[in-house]
Amino acid sequence: MSAEVTLLGVRHHGPGSARAVAAALERLRPDAVLVEGPPEAEPVLGLAAAKDMVPPVALLAHAADDPSRAAFWPYAEFSPEWVAIRHAVDRGVPLRFIDLPAGHSFAEVGGEDDGVEEDAHLPRDPIARLAEAAGHDDPERWWEDVVEHRRPADGEDALAPFAAVAEAMTVLREDGGAGLRDRQREAYMRGRIRAARRAGHQRIAVVCGAFHVPALAVEPTVAHDRALLAGLPKKVRTEVTWVPWTHRRLSQLAGYGAGIVSPGWYHHLHRTDGDPLPGWLTRAAGLLRAEDHPVSSAHVIEAVRLARALAGLRGRPLAGLTETLDAVRAVMCEGSDVALALVRDRLVIGDVLGSVPEDAPAVPLQRDLARLQRTLRLRPGPEPRDLDLDLRKEIDAARSRLLHRLRLLGVDWGVPARSAVASTGTFRESWRLCWQPEFAVRIAEAAQWGTTVERAAVGKAVGTARAGAGLAELTGLVETCLVADLAEALPPVMRVLADRAALDTDVAHLAGALPALVRALRYGDVRGTDRVALGEVAGGLADRVRVGLPPACTGLDAAGAAVMRAHLDEVHGAIGLLGGADGPTGGPADGLADRWAGTLRSLARREPTGGPATGVPGLLRGRAVRLLLDDGRLDAADAGRRLGLVLSTANSPVDAAGWIEGFLSGGGTLLLHDPRLLDLLDAWLTAVPAAAFTDLLPLLRRTFATLEAGVRHTVGGRVAAGPLDGDGTEPSAVAVELDLARAGAALPVVALLLGLPVGAAAAPGADRPRIPRQAGGRDT
């Protein structure tokens, strides 16, 4: 008796296909179920029936010797393959995966398989071609009408939809269209079907992509299929496990997604037996009400009516997602696309995160992470959430260490965020947590460094340091070792850092490395770390920056000067912390602040005498003067004198504009406190020749755009009020007639606010005083 093979062609992740597969399997009652998927996954398929297995989930396969070569096969509750898997596992029916082994793809250089490549070699999407043949311009809408929204009639043959799809795909493939990889996959599938027949199975159900059905319906010779498979590379050893997945990942076509535009909507269709519209719109109303939108049950009723009316007008058998969203926008969102975007994000896509059993195969590192997540009560979730930590609490300190260690391993489950709690202390941290499914691959990759999170972080830190990391990366690594409490990794990393710092002569590299090292010293204060070695390296690095900075700043162009100004600010802040720290007696930090002030004075004096290449750019000279002024090492009179010299006609207008930009980059309030500076600036600006002013305008706009809005307004008011005094002492006073009648009307209210008898506020006298007003000020 020959075996009966039934081919069930599906569209991946389609609720209509999932319902059809369930009905077909109930009718066929097969004694073997074959599913398109990697055969290496067969040992873990039994876990699909576990209590803790909740889709969406994905099969993760990776090369045993190189976890970075990995691929996912995602499954949702509405995936036809998942329905077939659960049918077989729940009934004890033999289940086989029949696609080409993933090990062949991993053997190729840079080869990765995303598990959804069946249409990769078609010149056009087959669904789009079918929709066009049916006279529809929207393939997704057409597919929803004929498949996803379709409900089988009573007594209808459960296999009829698959026969229709197979016939359509056969016509599409008459002109070829399958690439070599598809033909190899289909040859392997035919071989697996033959093996099921040889095993004695009589009723075989094959669930695969509809595109492959015509190729599996024919039976070429075994020699033909072996010839196709002969060109495959030798497969590598592959490990497979289950990992949680999310609906949001299913919506992404790139990477390891599946390209489903509406997984949340599909999930609702799959779970709803009757009309899906009222239930979904009720959920949308609940979501909008939770976000303070005024939505009532009357809105739901009207939205249902509108969606059905739109479907009738558009000739659709049922209201689809397009009609439903149009109704939500018009009725519930009052035409607002902002509110509709919330519905799209939360309901059409959704943030559902699946789960897998604890006894699923996993690397030891993954198991240690799961243990720490339970111990520290940090449950991974797909929705971003903020976490504020107080490092004085033991559990919060442990959470901080875990998140820092994971970031070192490339698992950015948490990223530093701005705290909602007003605090400048180093004992508080804020994080934004969001778990992504692909972290499973990064954890598998990091398993080469150790079997626990701590051991792996130590191994990664030491390995990174010894692999030739740059100086800035090394100082950042030292900081990470401190905040992650990796005491074992710190000594070898510090040795590499000291050697690298001694050999590196690039001042930009040294300047970029110093701030992180000084921050590490601060963390040493908070976390009780030995700071002696750090202080010695930081002090030596600071002195080398101090000595090499003036020559390195000479002759820079505008772009180079902008980069060096950022380094100058960072080094200034770092030296301020380092010079004020309690270091070892006689250490490098002693007198560092004074030596750094001398370096700034040297920068400020290096004016270009024989062209721009002979001196320090004005941007850096002006910034050096401002830093000295802010530190109290230069008085306002000296700063004004330097500004006057720079703004003299002997200097280039471009260089002067750069000087002003550097000088004002720390804030423009000094122009309000010292009117002489504003007088000098105003006089220079009005004297700039018209030809040069056009070139200076972008520089000036950029400079004044960085000032606070209040400062810009006040400066503009003072300048607009008229010429400033030439002596640079005070703006000119303007006599203003005071309207005593209007002022007198406010006196009773003022007296009441001050708690004085109303009579105490005398009415204006007969004499009308003349009140001087500051230029640009308001009448008082």
Side-chain angles (χ1 to χ4, degrees):
M1 180 178 177
S2 61
E4 178 185 357
V5 178
T6 304
L7 301 175
L8 306 178
V10 300
R11 190 186 191 193
H12 298 293
H13 311 295
S17 295
R19 285 193 299 269
V21 166
L25 293 177
E26 283 297 328
R27 178 197 157 178
L28 292 171
R29 297 190 178 277
D31 58 1
V33 176
L34 310 184
V35 178
E36 180 184 331
E40 297 96 333
E42 289 180 2
V44 300
L45 293 180
L47 293 173
K51 179 181 178 181
D52 296 333
M53 181 71 82
V54 180
V57 292
L59 285 168
L60 164 61
H62 63 83
D65 59 346
D66 184 6
S68 64
R69 290 183 288 170
F72 290 94
W73 283 259
Y75 301 106
E77 188 176 307
F78 49 81
S79 300
E81 298 90 341
W82 180 256
V83 171
I85 291 170
R86 287 302 306 265
H87 178 94
V89 173
D90 291 344
R91 292 162 179 76
V93 176
L95 174 64
R96 299 288 181 267
F97 270 15
I98 62 173
D99 203 353
L100 197 66
H104 288 302
S105 296
F106 297 153
E108 297 175 349
V109 178
E112 288 189 2
D113 185 2
D114 61 8
V116 288
E117 65 174 355
E118 64 277 352
D119 297 335
H121 302 289
L122 278 176
R124 291 181 56 196
D125 178 12
I127 303 300
R129 297 173 67 187
L130 291 174
E132 183 180 348
H136 290 259
D137 59 354
D138 189 334
E140 292 298 327
R141 185 188 303 178
W142 173 80
W143 183 260
E144 276 193 351
D145 289 345
V146 300
V147 177
E148 306 304 350
H149 293 168
R150 184 179 179 277
R151 304 285 176 173
D154 293 338
E156 179 181 329
D157 184 4
L159 300 181
F162 298 103
V165 171
E167 180 181 359
M169 288 297 170
T170 300
V171 174
L172 287 180
R173 292 196 59 166
E174 285 179 351
D175 58 351
L180 174 60
R181 177 48 60 91
D182 277 326
R183 296 198 301 274
Q184 290 174 331
R185 295 173 65 197
E186 290 159 355
Y188 191 86
M189 292 181 195
R190 288 191 293 265
R192 297 284 284 179
I193 295 173
R194 295 188 192 102
R197 284 172 170 163
R198 290 195 301 268
H201 298 296
Q202 298 301 312
R203 300 183 309 280
I204 303 172
V206 180
V207 180
C208 62
F211 178 71
H212 302 299
V213 169
L216 300 185
V218 300
E219 295 189 18
T221 63
V222 175
H224 172 272
D225 287 345
R226 286 178 177 173
L228 274 174
L229 298 174
L232 290 172
K234 183 179 179 180
K235 65 180 180 181
V236 300
R237 188 167 65 88
T238 303
E239 296 177 354
V240 181
T241 188
W242 290 101
V243 295
W245 208 248
T246 66
H247 277 176
R248 190 168 300 280
R249 262 304 175 216
L250 285 172
S251 70
Q252 298 182 5
L253 182 62
Y256 298 116
I260 309 170
V261 296
S262 52
W265 169 256
Y266 277 5
H267 182 79
H268 179 75
L269 291 181
H270 179 72
R271 286 204 163 187
T272 306
D273 293 330
D275 186 355
L277 210 55
W280 197 85
L281 288 172
T282 301
R283 292 175 58 203
L287 171 64
L288 291 172
R289 285 176 64 87
E291 298 294 330
D292 295 330
H293 291 273
V295 180
S296 66
S297 56
H299 288 83
V300 177
I301 296 171
E302 188 58 34
V304 171
R305 290 174 177 169
L306 178 58
R308 289 172 176 168
L310 289 173
L313 289 172
R314 295 168 181 174
R316 304 191 67 180
L318 290 172
L321 181 59
T322 303
E323 289 72 30
T324 305
L325 291 179
D326 285 346
V328 170
R329 178 195 286 111
V331 178
M332 297 184 182
C333 301
E334 299 179 346
S336 170
D337 285 332
V338 175
L340 183 66
L342 178 67
V343 176
R344 288 183 183 274
D345 185 67
R346 301 280 186 86
L347 293 184
V348 177
I349 297 176
D351 282 313
V352 176
L353 174 66
S355 64
V356 300
E358 292 184 4
D359 56 349
V363 294
L365 179 61
Q366 174 66 61
R367 296 191 181 280
D368 183 62
L369 175 58
R371 177 188 63 82
L372 290 172
Q373 287 171 335
R374 291 192 301 270
T375 302
L376 300 177
R377 299 194 295 275
L378 281 177
R379 182 180 178 84
E383 296 183 1
R385 66 185 181 96
D386 294 327
L387 178 68
D388 286 320
L389 300 178
D390 186 342
L391 302 182
R392 296 168 297 185
K393 299 178 181 178
E394 184 176 349
I395 187 170
D396 281 358
R399 289 169 174 171
S400 172
R401 288 193 294 269
L402 174 62
L403 294 174
H404 281 295
R405 289 170 181 177
L406 289 176
R407 280 177 58 81
L408 180 58
L409 295 173
V411 181
D412 292 331
W413 175 24
V415 294
R418 182 182 295 274
S419 175
V421 181
S423 173
T424 57
T426 55
F427 60 82
R428 187 174 295 279
E429 285 183 350
S430 293
W431 296 82
R432 171 63 62 89
L433 303 184
C434 184
W435 185 264
Q436 301 293 340
E438 62 267 25
F439 289 160
V441 174
R442 299 180 188 175
I443 292 171
E445 293 176 359
Q448 62 178 306
W449 299 107
T451 56
T452 66
V453 174
E454 181 178 4
R455 292 301 311 163
V458 169
K460 178 67 178 297
V462 176
T464 302
R466 292 174 176 171
L471 193 58
E473 186 179 358
L474 280 172
T475 55
L477 192 58
V478 170
E479 183 179 7
T480 301
C481 289
L482 285 169
V483 297
D485 195 17
L486 301 177
E488 188 177 343
L490 195 56
V493 173
M494 285 296 301
R495 285 195 294 270
V496 176
L497 172 61
D499 293 343
R500 193 68 48 80
L503 297 175
D504 201 323
T505 58
D506 191 315
V507 173
H509 291 172
L510 299 174
L514 182 62
L517 202 56
V518 175
R519 286 195 303 268
L521 273 170
R522 297 184 67 206
Y523 282 118
D525 272 345
V526 176
R527 301 169 189 253
T529 306
D530 181 14
R531 301 161 47 239
V532 175
L534 280 175
E536 291 178 351
V537 174
L541 205 62
D543 271 329
R544 295 185 60 200
V545 171
R546 181 185 61 78
V547 172
L549 190 61
C553 292
T554 301
L556 293 176
D557 59 10
V563 172
M564 193 58 75
R565 193 199 73 175
H567 286 315
L568 184 64
D569 287 343
E570 292 176 351
V571 171
H572 183 75
I575 287 180
L577 291 173
L578 187 61
D582 295 329
T585 303
D590 291 350
L592 179 60
D594 293 333
R595 298 196 297 273
W596 173 247
T599 300
L600 292 178
R601 291 191 182 93
S602 175
L603 278 179
R605 288 194 300 266
R606 294 199 174 201
E607 299 181 2
T609 56
T614 61
V616 173
L619 177 68
L620 299 178
R621 301 198 322 273
R623 188 65 189 137
V625 170
R626 180 60 185 272
L627 294 176
L628 289 169
L629 179 64
D630 290 345
D631 282 356
R633 297 179 180 272
L634 192 71
D635 57 31
D638 196 3
R641 182 184 62 82
R642 291 173 184 267
L643 176 62
L645 292 174
V646 169
L647 299 183
S648 66
T649 56
N651 278 352
S652 161
V654 174
D655 183 73
W659 198 99
I660 294 170
E661 180 182 3
F663 186 69
L664 295 182
S665 61
T669 53
L670 57 86
L671 293 178
L672 307 181
H673 298 313
D674 192 344
R676 290 172 299 176
L677 300 180
L678 182 58
D679 183 16
L680 288 170
L681 185 59
D682 182 54
W684 169 78
L685 192 56
T686 55
V688 171
F693 185 79
T694 303
D695 296 332
L696 290 181
L697 190 57
L699 251 176
L700 295 171
R701 280 181 173 172
R702 185 176 67 202
T703 300
F704 282 91
T706 61
L707 303 183
E708 303 88 339
V711 172
R712 292 201 304 270
H713 176 77
T714 306
V715 168
R718 289 189 178 180
V719 173
L724 303 176
D725 283 346
D727 59 3
T729 56
E730 293 290 341
S732 58
V734 181
V736 179
E737 289 289 339
L738 183 64
D739 189 337
L740 296 180
R742 293 178 60 191
L747 289 179
V749 178
V750 173
L752 182 63
L753 293 175
L754 295 176
L756 301 174
V758 176
D767 295 331
R768 301 178 64 87
R770 297 173 61 85
I771 308 297
R773 180 184 70 173
Q774 290 291 92
R778 298 176 181 268
D779 291 349
T780 55

